Amino acid sequence: MRARKPETLAVTMAHRKEIPDFLTEEECKLIVHLAQLKGLQKSQILPTDDYEEAMEMIEISQMDIFNLLDHNQDGQLQLKEVLTHTRLGNGRWMTPENIREMYTAVKADPDGNGVLSLEEFKQLNIRDFHKYMGSQKVKMSDLVRNSQHTWLYQGEGAHQVMRAIRQRSREIVEHSEPLQVVRYDQGGHYHAHMDSGPVFPETACSHTKLVANESAPFETSCRYVTVLFYLNNVTGGGETVFPIADNRTYEEMSLIQNDVDLRDTRKNCDKGNLRVKPQQGTAVFWYNYLSDGEGWVGELDDFALHGGCLVTQGTKWIANNWINVDPNRRRQLQFQQEMERYAGAGAGAGAPGEWTVDKSYSGVHLEL
Ligand SMILES: [Ca+2]
Ligand SMILES: [Ca+2]
């Protein structure tokens, strides 16, 4: 359990903001129109039949899996320990009921006490488990994410409105990902997740990977800030939920209590700490990382966990701008210099500025 320092609490609460009328109705409509012209694709596809094969390729012993899952190290696998590892579901969102059905199907829990002892786990043929998962009929609504999206370029040559939106939060967004436009139809959702992956020494950020010439085995999107725009008013549901916003402490396992999984945005949005109702033109922004106390990006802020609640009626359109910053300062600066060199080569651009988190903070507050 990680206790939250008082100043950090204050920072996080102050650093999540809602700005009404950030976009005009016309701008919202135009973004939706451009996204439709470009065409949207499913944000997540149904699991493929390769699942069994792929899982068999993974060389990890049954004992290692058990230890990995046994979060509280009591030699038993509680339901929530199994649920926390969503990857087990192969893209499918696993509910407590799903896990129980699976236990029954593969006879994983012969004594029927709801937890798997090491002995029970050892008896289990992991292959049966994969076979069972592979045989499950999966619908879009069973996935972690049920939406469609596209990416809209915002740089030189883009529609003037697209460039203007980027200008409104200038420099910081300059070299970040394009605008992601997402459509949730009725029945759509996105279970609670982090926009940015945890950064370990062996992880590289997607945006700096090339420039820094890193050959790291893992890659993640390093999204320091998320700016989410609501492009329409949703008839029913579709709120953005922050299940544990402003809790005093964070405990991964407390997200699942008595069969209530707070990350489940189809079932439990009403139990989340903070829900933001879509309002056309409103921008919401938050930080996905804490400060390292030295003016740079520190650890991932677990409290930034958020999701898109079930759309019960109508369609929901949103857009995301992410501000990419590498928690590794050297790599970020290298990336910035390279980008400025590119820009400079093109148009004799302005002086390369010192690029620090402090500057981006002040930029965000001024511009948004
Ligand atoms: Ca345990
Ligand atoms: Ca048992």
Side-chain angles (χ1 to χ4, degrees), residues 116-134:
L116 301 189
S117 65
L118 180 57
E119 278 311 308
E120 285 172 331
F121 195 77
K122 275 192 198 152
Q123 298 298 316
L124 194 67
N125 187 343
I126 294 290
R127 202 169 283 192
D128 290 344
F129 159 74
H130 296 324
K131 269 214 183 89
Y132 171 78
M133 289 306 296

Side-chain angles (χ1 to χ4, degrees), residues 6-235:
E7 69 270 22
T8 322
L9 179 70
V11 165
T12 300
M13 289 181 77
H15 285 182
R16 189 184 51 240
K17 280 204 182 2
E18 252 181 88
I19 306 116
D21 303 318
F22 185 86
L23 299 177
T24 65
E25 192 183 336
E26 288 67 38
E27 287 171 331
C28 289
K29 283 183 175 163
L30 180 94
I31 295 170
V32 168
H33 181 65
L34 290 175
Q36 282 170 327
L37 282 179
K38 185 154 184 202
L40 295 97
Q41 58 180 330
K42 285 197 172 78
S43 302
Q44 192 188 339
I45 53 167
L46 291 168
T48 60
D49 299 336
D50 308 338
Y51 177 70
E52 256 179 85
E53 270 172 54
M55 292 310 282
E56 279 178 21
M57 299 286 285
I58 296 173
E59 286 180 29
I60 175 166
S61 79
Q62 205 142 330
M63 194 66 199
D64 286 342
I65 298 175
F66 188 89
N67 283 325
L68 201 72
L69 293 174
D70 186 13
H71 189 267
N72 65 355
Q73 296 286 301
D74 68 347
Q76 308 254 24
L77 295 186
Q78 282 78 15
L79 204 64
K80 55 179 161 183
E81 289 176 328
V82 177
L83 273 175
T84 302
H85 290 263
T86 46
R87 293 231 170 112
L88 288 173
N90 184 27
R92 177 187 175 191
W93 180 260
M94 300 293 279
T95 65
E97 301 83 71
N98 295 151
I99 301 278
R100 283 197 204 94
E101 284 162 18
M102 181 182 74
Y103 284 179
T104 307
V106 303
K107 301 184 176 66
D109 181 24
D111 68 2
N113 68 346
V115 298
L116 301 189
S117 65
L118 180 57
E119 278 311 308
E120 285 172 331
F121 195 77
K122 275 192 198 152
Q123 298 298 316
L124 194 67
N125 187 343
I126 294 290
R127 202 169 283 192
D128 290 344
F129 159 74
H130 296 324
K131 269 214 183 89
Y132 171 78
M133 289 306 296
S135 71
Q136 289 298 293
K137 275 257 178 299
V138 181
K139 301 185 295 291
M140 290 305 291
S141 56
D142 296 329
L143 300 181
V144 174
R145 189 177 185 190
N146 180 12
S147 66
Q148 296 182 58
H149 73 266
T150 192
W151 299 88
L152 297 180
Y153 176 64
Q154 293 173 275
E156 284 302 311
H159 192 286
Q160 56 165 350
V161 167
M162 297 303 295
R163 280 181 295 152
I165 292 164
R166 181 153 282 208
Q167 281 299 310
R168 235 167 273 170
S169 44
R170 245 188 344 241
E171 17 191 337
I172 39 173
V173 182
E174 197 77 46
H175 304 301
S176 290
E177 293 163 81
L179 187 76
Q180 186 191 57
V181 182
V182 191
R183 186 181 86 198
Y184 295 86
D185 291 324
Q186 191 169 317
H189 74 276
Y190 193 172
H191 291 305
H193 60 280
M194 300 294 287
D195 279 353
S196 213
V199 179
F200 304 112
E202 64 275 18
T203 310
C205 294
S206 307
H207 75 289
T208 56
K209 195 179 175 193
L210 265 182
V211 169
N213 197 18
E214 298 280 347
S215 53
F218 302 108
E219 186 180 325
T220 184
S221 301
C222 296
R223 293 162 168 169
Y224 176 51
V225 175
T226 299
V227 187
L228 185 159
F229 307 100
Y230 296 108
L231 302 177
N232 72 335
N233 296 314
V234 183
T235 316

Side-chain angles (χ1 to χ4, degrees), residues 16 18 230 237-246 262 265 268-278 284 306-310:
R16 189 184 51 240
E18 252 181 88
Y230 296 108
E239 300 93 339
T240 304
V241 68
F242 295 81
I244 48 165
D246 306 334
L262 288 177
T265 58
N268 299 320
C269 263
D270 58 323
K271 298 177 188 72
N273 278 359
L274 176 77
R275 282 186 307 284
V276 183
K277 192 175 150 51
V284 185
H306 65 283
C309 302
L310 178 68

